[in-house]
C-alpha cells in the first residue's frame, strides 16, 4: 500500500507539473521528485521483502494493509509539508516578501 500511495502521488504531481506552466514556477517538480524517490524506496523495500518472504508478501493481513496505507499517507503529507516550506523560503511569486515588507 505504501508503494501504491506514493506512486499515485508521484503520478498526479508529475502530470500537474507537466500540464501547467504555473506549477513549474511553484516548484511542483521538486514535490514530484520527492514522491518518485519515495516510490523507488518502497519498490526496493518490496523487492527485498519478496526475496525474504516469497509469495507471502503478496497476501498481507488487512490490518497490515491499513497500517501501510497510513504510512503511505503520512509520507505524502510529509512531502507536502517539505514542499510548502521550500515554497515559502524560495517565494517564487514574492508573496511572502510583500507581506513582510508591507507598509501600513
Amino acid at each position: 500500500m505504501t508503494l501504491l500511495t506514493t506512486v499515485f502521488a508521484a503520478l498526479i504531481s508529475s502530470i500537474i507539473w507537466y500540464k501547467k506552466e504555473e506549477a513549474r514556477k511553484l516548484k511542483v517538480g521538486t514535490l514530484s521528485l520527492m514522491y518518485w524517490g519515495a516510490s523507488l524506496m518502497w519498490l526496493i523495500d518490496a523487492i527485498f521483502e519478496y526475496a525474504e518472504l516469497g509469495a507471502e508478501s503478496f497476501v498481507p493481513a488487512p490490518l497490515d494493509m491499513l497500517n501501510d496505507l497510513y504510512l503511505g499517507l503520512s509520507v505524502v503529507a510529509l512531502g507536502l509539508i517539505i514542499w510548502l516550506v521550500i515554497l515559502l523560503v524560495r517565494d517564487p511569486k514574492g508573496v511572502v516578501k510583500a507581506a513582510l515588507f508591507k507598509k501600513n
Side-chain angles (χ1 to χ4, degrees), residues 60-104:
L63 186 59
D64 291 337
M65 288 179 61
L66 185 62
N67 286 337
D68 285 348
L69 177 64
Y70 288 147
L71 181 60
L73 290 175
S74 65
V75 166
V76 170
L78 181 62
L80 280 173
I81 291 169
I82 293 170
W83 174 68
L84 283 173
V85 169
I86 290 170
L87 194 62
L88 289 174
V89 169
R90 292 198 177 161
D91 195 19
K93 288 189 167 187
V95 175
V96 176
K97 185 178 181 180
L100 288 175
F101 296 113
K102 181 179 178 183
K103 294 184 180 183
N104 292 327

Side-chain angles (χ1 to χ4, degrees), residues 25-46:
K25 293 177 186 172
L26 295 176
K27 309 292 183 197
V28 175
T30 303
L31 179 66
S32 178
L33 287 175
M34 284 191 284
Y35 289 153
W36 282 117
S39 299
L40 180 63
M41 178 186 70
W42 293 122
L43 177 65
I44 291 171
D45 180 58

